[in-house]
Amino acid sequence: MAGEIIPVYAGQQPPESWDACIFIGGSAPGPSSTASWQPEIIELLRQRWASDRRLVLFVQDLSSGARGSLASELISWYDRAFDIADVVMFWWPDDADPRLVSTSLAAWNDNQRTVHGTPSHAPQSRYLHEYADGHAISTASTLDEMVS
């Protein structure tokens, strides 16, 4: 029996129960990108989820119904999703703002449950890996590595 994977976008209510959950965050695609990377990582997680249990994916992108949400509601959603996530994954596309990467690394250096990733050729790659090495944080250079 295949397990169930439920993406829950920012502002959406999660299901009543689940067996594991992952927060998927990071930078939105920049002006040089054509598509979001989040559908790809969700698909990779679907392909690799070998359990017959329920996995919830908290996705930082706003759901279409949450576009008019109050900032306080979204902040509460993000706080709760971060707090309960078993794993927190941040992906930084090659055109991500390096300042955003730096800020997030400093804020999310929970080495027990966080994985930071960026393409190895990206400008922020050296900084990310150097910071991660000094703080025992897991890193990845592809989306495929992130979900392995």
Side-chain angles (χ1 to χ4, degrees), residues 57-111:
L57 305 175
F58 290 106
V59 184
Q60 80 172 20
D61 281 356
L62 290 174
S63 68
S64 57
R67 301 240 183 257
S69 296
L70 297 174
S72 61
E73 293 171 355
L74 290 174
I75 290 168
S76 294
W77 186 93
Y78 287 119
D79 284 346
R80 180 168 186 250
F82 280 133
D83 287 346
I84 61 178
D86 300 307
V87 174
V88 177
M89 295 179 166
F90 287 104
W91 179 253
W92 308 104
D94 49 4
D95 60 352
D97 184 336
R99 295 168 296 184
L100 184 58
V101 176
S102 301
T103 303
S104 294
L105 278 172
W108 283 100
N109 62 7
D110 179 347
N111 62 1

Side-chain angles (χ1 to χ4, degrees), residues 14-37:
E16 298 258 339
S17 66
W18 58 81
D19 300 291
C21 59
I22 298 173
F23 182 90
I24 300 171
S27 180
S32 65
S33 297
T34 57
S36 174
W37 53 269

Side-chain angles (χ1 to χ4, degrees), residues 9 20 27 36 41-42 60 82 114-115 120 123-124 137:
Y9 292 87
S27 180
S36 174
I41 200 165
I42 291 169
Q60 80 172 20
F82 280 133
T114 303
V115 179
S120 57
Q124 68 271 9
I137 299 171

Side-chain angles (χ1 to χ4, degrees), residues 1 5 9 12 16 42 84-85 100-101 113 131 138 146:
M1 178 176 151
I5 297 181
Y9 292 87
Q12 291 181 332
E16 298 258 339
I42 291 169
I84 61 178
L100 184 58
V101 176
R113 63 185 185 127
Y131 185 92
S138 296
M146 291 245 336

